């Protein structure tokens, strides 16, 4: 009996020493000390011992039990410490390692200009409205007082969806004037930026899709002086306080009188250079006093209210603003180009 106990002591010690994780330690505890364990099994045979042997063996068995319990505990503590150490090692953060570079883009140069414009107009009490690009010919042309035979209505110029030429991709942002006036009564101050479409071949100054910004102010007693004052202020905020502008008479069906606004070339200061094609001036936008027919068509009495409107191509403005020479660069999204802004 004594030999069996000693053998168990030896075997269990070794097994506990070799255990590599908590699960195998628990399995050993059950194997040796559990109710159906090996030590318990040996003790059940005590009945066969003599009266002298029994206390001696009993004491030895208890001693072995205590020893095993202690060994299990200390092995458990050692394993826990080791695991903690491994965990710390695997989770160390080397703060001296170089970081991963996160590449952040910049806002597209054209939208940078648009943001600036919005800021300027919002500062003057204008609201920004955006709406549909698929439009009725009625809004794109008729309600803007464009004649039935206006060349812009040709199938060679405009993208139509229907054989009867009633639905199209808007060719200008001016129909936004009509949408706003039909919904809202004066006073009205809006700008309407957005995409427009024309059947143009792509070259350095043309694209079948481009952006326009429309603007309109309607109220009692609004005159051409308001138009000039506001647009001059916008030009100065955009291009600098000493920007020189001029207004030339022009024709648009939806305004009367109509004009075009130029700024003096920012490069040559009016002397004439390649940027302004020797003119000294750069054309900026079309504008005018909203035609009485357009007002009354939207239920606004032209005897009571008047207003001015303007429209311009955003790409052209952005090209001029950043002194970029080719329109295609705006759309190609070549990172080497975009990185420069
Ligand atoms: N819609 C015109 C165009 O596409 C631009 C324009 C001119 C808009 C005069 C206006 C305006 O509102 O008053 O060429």
């Amino acid at each position: 009996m004594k030999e069996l106990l000693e053998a168990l002591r030896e075997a269990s010690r070794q097994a506990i020493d070799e255990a590599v994780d908590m699960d195998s330690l628990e399995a050993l505890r059950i194997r040796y000390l559990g109710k159906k364990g090996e030590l318990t099994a040996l003790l059940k045979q005590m009945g066969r011992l003599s009266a002298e042997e029994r206390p001696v063996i009993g004491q030895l068995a208890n001693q072995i039990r205590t020893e095993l319990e202690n060994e299990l505990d200390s092995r458990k503590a050692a394993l826990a410490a080791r695991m903690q150490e491994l965990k710390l090692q695997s989770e160390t953060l080397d703060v001296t390692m170089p970081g991963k570079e996160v590449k952040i883009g910049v806002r597209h140069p054209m939208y940078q200009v648009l943001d600036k414009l919005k800021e300027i107009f919002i500062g003057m009490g204008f609201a920004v409205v955006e709406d549909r690009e698929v439009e009725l010919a009625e809004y794109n042309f008729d309600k803007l007082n464009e004649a039935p035979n206006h060349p812009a209505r040709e199938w060679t110029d405009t993208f139509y969806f229907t054989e009867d030429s009633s639905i199209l991709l808007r060719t200008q942002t001016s129909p936004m004037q009509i949408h706003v006036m039909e919904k809202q009564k004066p006073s009205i101050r809006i700008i309407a930026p957005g995409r427009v479409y024309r059947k143009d071949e792509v070259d350095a100054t043309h694209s079948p899709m481009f952006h326009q910004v429309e603007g309109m102010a309607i109220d009692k007693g609004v005159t051409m002086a308001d138009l000039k004052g506001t647009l001059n202020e916008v030009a100065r905020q955009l291009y600098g306080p000493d920007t020189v502008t001029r207004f030339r008479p022009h024709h648009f069906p939806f305004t009367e009188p109509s004009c075009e606004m130029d700024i003096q070339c920012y490069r040559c200061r009016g002397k004439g250079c390649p940027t302004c094609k020797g003119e000294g001036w750069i054309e900026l936008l079309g504008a005018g006093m909203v035609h009485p027919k357009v007002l009354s068509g939207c239920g606004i009495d032209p005897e009571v209210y008047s207003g001015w409107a303007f429209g311009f191509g955003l790409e052209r403005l952005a090209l001029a603003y950043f002194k970029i020479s080719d329109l295609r660069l705006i759309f190609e999204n070549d990172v080497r180009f975009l990185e420069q802004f």
Side-chain angles (χ1 to χ4, degrees):
M1 191 77 178
K2 189 162 181 254
E3 292 74 43
L4 286 174
L5 279 171
E6 294 290 1
L8 183 142
R9 179 192 245 165
E10 266 318 299
S12 61
R13 250 187 209 158
Q14 199 177 338
I16 290 169
D17 254 3
E18 285 168 5
V20 291
D21 58 32
M22 296 299 182
D23 286 347
S24 42
L25 266 188
E26 178 59 12
L28 288 175
R29 193 188 63 76
I30 293 167
R31 174 170 165 200
Y32 292 111
L33 301 177
K35 266 190 201 150
K36 292 179 184 163
E38 290 183 20
L39 187 60
T40 322
L42 277 178
L43 290 175
K44 278 187 187 149
Q45 297 171 29
M46 294 257 287
R48 282 196 263 139
L49 298 174
S50 64
E52 300 89 63
E53 274 181 313
R54 217 175 285 160
V56 182
I57 293 298
Q59 205 189 354
L60 179 61
N62 276 335
Q63 196 187 331
I64 288 174
R65 171 180 294 278
T66 316
E67 277 173 25
L68 281 186
E69 280 167 354
N70 288 340
E71 275 161 27
L72 281 167
D73 280 352
S74 64
R75 183 71 188 143
K76 203 170 178 176
L79 276 179
R82 175 79 191 130
M83 274 156 66
Q84 175 76 3
E85 199 181 307
L86 285 175
K87 193 159 181 241
L88 284 174
Q89 262 173 26
S90 71
E91 288 175 7
T92 28
L93 174 70
D94 182 354
V95 292
T96 63
M97 294 244 293
K100 279 188 197 148
E101 190 190 351
V102 181
K103 282 212 164 191
I104 301 176
V106 295
R107 191 135 169 86
H108 190 285
M110 191 182 71
Y111 282 97
Q112 290 181 32
V113 177
L114 179 58
D115 286 346
K116 213 171 154 67
L117 274 165
K118 283 181 179 174
E119 216 173 277
I120 295 171
F121 277 102
I122 289 169
M124 297 194 295
F126 284 68
V128 180
V129 290
E130 280 173 54
D131 210 310
R132 71 209 78 182
E133 291 167 22
V134 175
E135 190 53 274
L136 296 174
E138 190 188 349
Y139 283 76
N140 194 82
F141 295 127
D142 303 310
K143 284 173 180 272
L144 287 162
N145 195 35
E146 303 229 19
N149 58 353
H150 193 284
R153 295 185 188 245
E154 295 290 334
W155 275 63
T156 47
D157 285 19
T158 297
F159 294 99
Y160 285 99
F161 290 97
T162 51
E163 286 293 331
D164 66 356
S165 309
S166 62
I167 304 175
L168 45 74
L169 281 172
R170 67 178 178 188
T171 64
Q172 50 186 355
T173 44
S174 301
M176 283 307 294
Q177 294 186 21
I178 310 296
H179 288 298
V180 172
M181 283 192 283
E182 284 185 347
K183 274 201 240 78
Q184 186 189 334
K185 295 303 145 205
S187 55
I188 297 171
R189 279 183 191 77
I190 54 117
I191 59 164
R195 294 186 190 90
V196 300
Y197 302 83
R198 291 179 192 180
K199 282 191 182 168
D200 282 328
E201 297 286 339
V202 175
D203 66 20
T205 52
H206 292 87
S207 157
M209 187 282 295
F210 60 103
H211 296 68
Q212 283 189 340
V213 179
E214 192 79 13
M216 184 177 70
I218 313 271
D219 215 328
K220 283 179 183 158
V222 171
T223 70
M224 196 95 184
D226 299 302
L227 181 162
K228 291 180 76 174
T230 310
L231 294 179
N232 275 336
E233 180 55 24
V234 173
R236 279 194 283 268
Q237 287 199 35
L238 201 60
Y239 293 104
D242 47 2
T243 303
V244 182
T245 62
R246 74 174 183 192
F247 292 80
R248 285 176 290 107
H250 201 78
H251 171 77
F252 297 104
F254 33 84
T255 43
E256 182 57 39
S258 306
C259 61
E260 277 191 334
M261 176 182 174
D262 301 336
I263 53 163
Q264 200 173 61
C265 181
Y266 41 77
R267 205 165 248 166
C268 64
R269 293 249 153 242
K271 287 192 198 79
C273 71
T275 300
C276 57
K277 299 191 187 86
E279 301 270 327
W281 297 89
I282 295 170
E283 184 193 313
L284 207 58
L285 52 80
M289 299 306 291
V290 180
H291 198 292
K293 271 195 189 166
V294 174
L295 289 175
S296 56
C298 298
I300 294 175
D301 184 351
E303 298 296 325
V304 181
Y305 293 102
S306 55
W308 55 269
F310 68 86
F312 61 82
L314 185 56
E315 283 82 357
R316 275 249 306 266
L317 198 86
L319 292 183
Y321 189 80
F322 287 116
K323 306 182 173 62
I324 304 165
S325 58
D326 194 317
L327 175 70
R328 286 166 289 198
L329 290 165
I330 293 273
F331 298 119
E332 276 166 1
N333 285 335
D334 185 328
V335 172
R336 290 166 302 179
F337 166 74
L338 295 173
E339 267 173 354
Q340 300 171 38
F341 305 97

